[in-house]
PDB file of all heavy atoms in Angstrom:
ATOM      1  N   PHE A 217     111.053  30.360 132.219  1.00 42.00           N
ATOM      2  CA  PHE A 217     110.488  28.913 132.118  1.00 42.00           C
ATOM      3  C   PHE A 217     111.298  28.116 131.124  1.00 42.00           C
ATOM      4  O   PHE A 217     111.686  26.971 131.423  1.00 42.00           O
ATOM      5  CB  PHE A 217     108.987  29.084 131.675  1.00 42.00           C
ATOM      6  CG  PHE A 217     108.494  27.933 130.839  1.00 42.00           C
ATOM      7  CD1 PHE A 217     108.625  26.583 131.284  1.00 42.00           C
ATOM      8  CD2 PHE A 217     107.917  28.147 129.635  1.00 42.00           C
ATOM      9  CE1 PHE A 217     108.161  25.557 130.581  1.00 42.00           C
ATOM     10  CE2 PHE A 217     107.418  27.095 128.920  1.00 42.00           C
ATOM     11  CZ  PHE A 217     107.618  25.802 129.358  1.00 42.00           C
ATOM     12  N   LEU A 218     111.667  28.705 129.958  1.00 41.00           N
ATOM     13  CA  LEU A 218     112.313  27.948 128.895  1.00 41.00           C
ATOM     14  C   LEU A 218     113.703  27.565 129.333  1.00 41.00           C
ATOM     15  O   LEU A 218     114.189  26.453 129.141  1.00 41.00           O
ATOM     16  CB  LEU A 218     112.276  28.722 127.601  1.00 41.00           C
ATOM     17  CG  LEU A 218     110.943  28.932 126.999  1.00 41.00           C
ATOM     18  CD1 LEU A 218     111.001  29.849 125.761  1.00 41.00           C
ATOM     19  CD2 LEU A 218     110.263  27.624 126.605  1.00 41.00           C
ATOM     20  N   TYR A 219     114.448  28.536 129.898  1.00 38.00           N
ATOM     21  CA  TYR A 219     115.858  28.251 130.252  1.00 38.00           C
ATOM     22  C   TYR A 219     115.977  27.388 131.445  1.00 38.00           C
ATOM     23  O   TYR A 219     117.030  26.670 131.572  1.00 38.00           O
ATOM     24  CB  TYR A 219     116.553  29.655 130.487  1.00 38.00           C
ATOM     25  CG  TYR A 219     116.591  30.526 129.225  1.00 38.00           C
ATOM     26  CD1 TYR A 219     116.614  31.908 129.418  1.00 38.00           C
ATOM     27  CD2 TYR A 219     116.633  29.933 128.007  1.00 38.00           C
ATOM     28  CE1 TYR A 219     116.615  32.691 128.244  1.00 38.00           C
ATOM     29  CE2 TYR A 219     116.677  30.701 126.869  1.00 38.00           C
ATOM     30  CZ  TYR A 219     116.625  32.123 126.952  1.00 38.00           C
ATOM     31  OH  TYR A 219     116.703  32.875 125.873  1.00 38.00           O
ATOM     32  N   SER A 220     115.012  27.400 132.338  1.00 40.00           N
ATOM     33  CA  SER A 220     115.113  26.461 133.552  1.00 40.00           C
ATOM     34  C   SER A 220     114.424  25.139 133.274  1.00 40.00           C
ATOM     35  O   SER A 220     114.504  24.313 134.136  1.00 40.00           O
ATOM     36  CB  SER A 220     114.471  27.180 134.727  1.00 40.00           C
ATOM     37  OG  SER A 220     113.135  27.397 134.515  1.00 40.00           O
ATOM     38  N   PHE A 221     113.829  25.004 132.118  1.00 43.00           N
ATOM     39  CA  PHE A 221     113.023  23.767 131.870  1.00 43.00           C
ATOM     40  C   PHE A 221     113.791  22.499 132.003  1.00 43.00           C
ATOM     41  O   PHE A 221     113.296  21.493 132.497  1.00 43.00           O
ATOM     42  CB  PHE A 221     112.452  23.874 130.495  1.00 43.00           C
ATOM     43  CG  PHE A 221     111.526  22.772 130.146  1.00 43.00           C
ATOM     44  CD1 PHE A 221     110.176  22.874 130.615  1.00 43.00           C
ATOM     45  CD2 PHE A 221     111.877  21.656 129.456  1.00 43.00           C
ATOM     46  CE1 PHE A 221     109.328  21.837 130.319  1.00 43.00           C
ATOM     47  CE2 PHE A 221     110.994  20.707 129.221  1.00 43.00           C
ATOM     48  CZ  PHE A 221     109.640  20.750 129.635  1.00 43.00           C
ATOM     49  N   PRO A 222     115.124  22.353 131.540  1.00 39.00           N
ATOM     50  CA  PRO A 222     115.802  21.123 131.713  1.00 39.00           C
ATOM     51  C   PRO A 222     115.912  20.608 133.120  1.00 39.00           C
ATOM     52  O   PRO A 222     116.162  19.422 133.387  1.00 39.00           O
ATOM     53  CB  PRO A 222     117.211  21.378 131.121  1.00 39.00           C
ATOM     54  CG  PRO A 222     116.922  22.450 130.140  1.00 39.00           C
ATOM     55  CD  PRO A 222     115.959  23.388 130.808  1.00 39.00           C
ATOM     56  N   LEU A 223     115.750  21.496 134.145  1.00 36.00           N
ATOM     57  CA  LEU A 223     115.858  21.094 135.506  1.00 36.00           C
ATOM     58  C   LEU A 223     114.486  20.774 136.097  1.00 36.00           C
ATOM     59  O   LEU A 223     114.429  20.304 137.303  1.00 36.00           O
ATOM     60  CB  LEU A 223     116.500  22.164 136.369  1.00 36.00           C
ATOM     61  CG  LEU A 223     117.931  22.574 135.960  1.00 36.00           C
ATOM     62  CD1 LEU A 223     118.416  23.687 136.798  1.00 36.00           C
ATOM     63  CD2 LEU A 223     118.890  21.354 136.088  1.00 36.00           C
ATOM     64  N   LEU A 224     113.438  20.806 135.336  1.00 39.00           N
ATOM     65  CA  LEU A 224     112.156  20.515 135.876  1.00 39.00           C
ATOM     66  C   LEU A 224     111.833  19.046 135.653  1.00 39.00           C
ATOM     67  O   LEU A 224     111.830  18.553 134.518  1.00 39.00           O
ATOM     68  CB  LEU A 224     111.061  21.373 135.141  1.00 39.00           C
ATOM     69  CG  LEU A 224     111.344  22.889 135.170  1.00 39.00           C
ATOM     70  CD1 LEU A 224     110.180  23.624 134.478  1.00 39.00           C
ATOM     71  CD2 LEU A 224     111.438  23.332 136.620  1.00 39.00           C
ATOM     72  N   LEU A 225     111.638  18.317 136.672  1.00 36.00           N
ATOM     73  CA  LEU A 225     111.608  16.889 136.603  1.00 36.00           C
ATOM     74  C   LEU A 225     110.205  16.349 136.301  1.00 36.00           C
ATOM     75  O   LEU A 225     110.024  15.287 135.832  1.00 36.00           O
ATOM     76  CB  LEU A 225     112.068  16.255 137.954  1.00 36.00           C
ATOM     77  CG  LEU A 225     113.527  16.654 138.333  1.00 36.00           C
ATOM     78  CD1 LEU A 225     113.956  15.970 139.578  1.00 36.00           C
ATOM     79  CD2 LEU A 225     114.437  16.303 137.160  1.00 36.00           C
ATOM     80  N   LEU A 226     109.253  17.130 136.673  1.00 37.00           N
ATOM     81  CA  LEU A 226     107.848  16.671 136.473  1.00 37.00           C
ATOM     82  C   LEU A 226     107.077  17.817 135.815  1.00 37.00           C
ATOM     83  O   LEU A 226     106.925  18.847 136.410  1.00 37.00           O
ATOM     84  CB  LEU A 226     107.172  16.228 137.764  1.00 37.00           C
ATOM     85  CG  LEU A 226     107.757  15.095 138.433  1.00 37.00           C
ATOM     86  CD1 LEU A 226     107.084  14.873 139.833  1.00 37.00           C
ATOM     87  CD2 LEU A 226     107.657  13.855 137.611  1.00 37.00           C
ATOM     88  N   ILE A 227     106.652  17.652 134.598  1.00 38.00           N
ATOM     89  CA  ILE A 227     105.903  18.752 133.920  1.00 38.00           C
ATOM     90  C   ILE A 227     104.704  18.145 133.288  1.00 38.00           C
ATOM     91  O   ILE A 227     104.714  17.091 132.624  1.00 38.00           O
ATOM     92  CB  ILE A 227     106.751  19.380 132.813  1.00 38.00           C
ATOM     93  CG1 ILE A 227     107.455  18.328 131.969  1.00 38.00           C
ATOM     94  CG2 ILE A 227     107.802  20.334 133.423  1.00 38.00           C
ATOM     95  CD1 ILE A 227     108.300  18.897 130.908  1.00 38.00           C
ATOM     96  N   CYS A 228     103.592  18.799 133.551  1.00 38.00           N
ATOM     97  CA  CYS A 228     102.228  18.363 133.104  1.00 38.00           C
ATOM     98  C   CYS A 228     101.840  17.123 133.887  1.00 38.00           C
ATOM     99  O   CYS A 228     102.650  16.254 134.153  1.00 38.00           O
ATOM    100  CB  CYS A 228     102.157  18.088 131.639  1.00 38.00           C
ATOM    101  SG  CYS A 228     102.605  19.565 130.689  1.00 38.00           S
ATOM    102  N   PRO A 229     100.579  17.049 134.213  1.00 36.00           N
ATOM    103  CA  PRO A 229     100.100  15.871 134.968  1.00 36.00           C
ATOM    104  C   PRO A 229     100.368  14.604 134.301  1.00 36.00           C
ATOM    105  O   PRO A 229     100.380  13.588 134.934  1.00 36.00           O
ATOM    106  CB  PRO A 229      98.621  16.180 135.078  1.00 36.00           C
ATOM    107  CG  PRO A 229      98.490  17.667 134.920  1.00 36.00           C
ATOM    108  CD  PRO A 229      99.503  18.029 134.003  1.00 36.00           C
ATOM    109  N   ALA A 230     100.479  14.545 132.943  1.00 34.00           N
ATOM    110  CA  ALA A 230     100.567  13.285 132.253  1.00 34.00           C
ATOM    111  C   ALA A 230     102.021  12.786 131.969  1.00 34.00           C
ATOM    112  O   ALA A 230     102.270  11.868 131.281  1.00 34.00           O
ATOM    113  CB  ALA A 230      99.755  13.319 130.971  1.00 34.00           C
ATOM    114  N   VAL A 231     102.997  13.607 132.397  1.00 37.00           N
ATOM    115  CA  VAL A 231     104.397  13.268 132.051  1.00 37.00           C
ATOM    116  C   VAL A 231     105.262  13.140 133.277  1.00 37.00           C
ATOM    117  O   VAL A 231     105.208  13.974 134.142  1.00 37.00           O
ATOM    118  CB  VAL A 231     104.971  14.410 131.148  1.00 37.00           C
ATOM    119  CG1 VAL A 231     106.419  14.144 130.788  1.00 37.00           C
ATOM    120  CG2 VAL A 231     104.139  14.438 129.841  1.00 37.00           C
ATOM    121  N   SER A 232     106.109  12.150 133.333  1.00 36.00           N
ATOM    122  CA  SER A 232     107.104  11.985 134.371  1.00 36.00           C
ATOM    123  C   SER A 232     108.499  12.248 133.824  1.00 36.00           C
ATOM    124  O   SER A 232     108.856  11.804 132.715  1.00 36.00           O
ATOM    125  CB  SER A 232     107.044  10.565 134.927  1.00 36.00           C
ATOM    126  OG  SER A 232     108.281  10.408 135.769  1.00 36.00           O
ATOM    127  N   ALA A 233     109.277  13.073 134.531  1.00 36.00           N
ATOM    128  CA  ALA A 233     110.619  13.363 134.055  1.00 36.00           C
ATOM    129  C   ALA A 233     111.683  12.392 134.752  1.00 36.00           C
ATOM    130  O   ALA A 233     112.819  12.724 134.697  1.00 36.00           O
ATOM    131  CB  ALA A 233     111.021  14.787 134.358  1.00 36.00           C
ATOM    132  N   ALA A 234     111.209  11.305 135.311  1.00 38.00           N
ATOM    133  CA  ALA A 234     112.143  10.394 136.014  1.00 38.00           C
ATOM    134  C   ALA A 234     112.953   9.696 134.891  1.00 38.00           C
ATOM    135  O   ALA A 234     112.518   9.471 133.814  1.00 38.00           O
ATOM    136  CB  ALA A 234     111.286   9.318 136.723  1.00 38.00           C
ATOM    137  N   PRO A 235     114.211   9.371 135.159  1.00 38.00           N
ATOM    138  CA  PRO A 235     115.095   8.672 134.244  1.00 38.00           C
ATOM    139  C   PRO A 235     114.389   7.338 133.835  1.00 38.00           C
ATOM    140  O   PRO A 235     113.746   6.664 134.658  1.00 38.00           O
ATOM    141  CB  PRO A 235     116.362   8.425 135.002  1.00 38.00           C
ATOM    142  CG  PRO A 235     116.387   9.492 136.001  1.00 38.00           C
ATOM    143  CD  PRO A 235     114.921   9.773 136.352  1.00 38.00           C
ATOM    144  N   LEU A 236     114.558   6.925 132.614  1.00 38.00           N
ATOM    145  CA  LEU A 236     113.952   5.737 132.101  1.00 38.00           C
ATOM    146  C   LEU A 236     114.329   4.517 132.892  1.00 38.00           C
ATOM    147  O   LEU A 236     113.539   3.532 133.010  1.00 38.00           O
ATOM    148  CB  LEU A 236     114.201   5.534 130.629  1.00 38.00           C
ATOM    149  CG  LEU A 236     113.749   6.663 129.717  1.00 38.00           C
ATOM    150  CD1 LEU A 236     114.159   6.382 128.301  1.00 38.00           C
ATOM    151  CD2 LEU A 236     112.265   6.945 129.870  1.00 38.00           C
ATOM    152  N   GLU A 237     115.581   4.484 133.419  1.00 39.00           N
ATOM    153  CA  GLU A 237     115.989   3.283 134.097  1.00 39.00           C
ATOM    154  C   GLU A 237     115.537   3.228 135.594  1.00 39.00           C
ATOM    155  O   GLU A 237     115.758   2.308 136.281  1.00 39.00           O
ATOM    156  CB  GLU A 237     117.505   3.206 134.066  1.00 39.00           C
ATOM    157  CG  GLU A 237     118.264   4.230 134.831  1.00 39.00           C
ATOM    158  CD  GLU A 237     118.527   5.499 133.962  1.00 39.00           C
ATOM    159  OE1 GLU A 237     117.884   5.578 132.929  1.00 39.00           O
ATOM    160  OE2 GLU A 237     119.341   6.345 134.405  1.00 39.00           O
ATOM    161  N   ASP A 238     114.874   4.289 136.058  1.00 43.00           N
ATOM    162  CA  ASP A 238     114.450   4.366 137.448  1.00 43.00           C
ATOM    163  C   ASP A 238     113.084   3.723 137.576  1.00 43.00           C
ATOM    164  O   ASP A 238     112.080   4.340 137.248  1.00 43.00           O
ATOM    165  CB  ASP A 238     114.433   5.851 137.931  1.00 43.00           C
ATOM    166  CG  ASP A 238     114.147   5.936 139.442  1.00 43.00           C
ATOM    167  OD1 ASP A 238     113.767   4.900 140.002  1.00 43.00           O
ATOM    168  OD2 ASP A 238     114.412   7.071 140.005  1.00 43.00           O
ATOM    169  N   ALA A 239     113.033   2.494 138.047  1.00 38.00           N
ATOM    170  CA  ALA A 239     111.782   1.765 138.070  1.00 38.00           C
ATOM    171  C   ALA A 239     110.936   2.203 139.212  1.00 38.00           C
ATOM    172  O   ALA A 239     109.699   1.884 139.273  1.00 38.00           O
ATOM    173  CB  ALA A 239     112.056   0.300 138.266  1.00 38.00           C
ATOM    174  N   ASP A 240     111.416   3.006 140.149  1.00 43.00           N
ATOM    175  CA  ASP A 240     110.643   3.456 141.286  1.00 43.00           C
ATOM    176  C   ASP A 240     109.809   4.708 140.965  1.00 43.00           C
ATOM    177  O   ASP A 240     109.029   5.127 141.732  1.00 43.00           O
ATOM    178  CB  ASP A 240     111.518   3.802 142.496  1.00 43.00           C
ATOM    179  CG  ASP A 240     112.222   2.501 142.991  1.00 43.00           C
ATOM    180  OD1 ASP A 240     111.632   1.427 142.834  1.00 43.00           O
ATOM    181  OD2 ASP A 240     113.383   2.624 143.476  1.00 43.00           O
TER     182      ASP A 240
END
């Protein structure tokens, strides 16, 4: 889980891993 974490784009219901500049 820890080592693959940087590739997880959406973690936890309250957090989005979308890039900040992606308005969509």
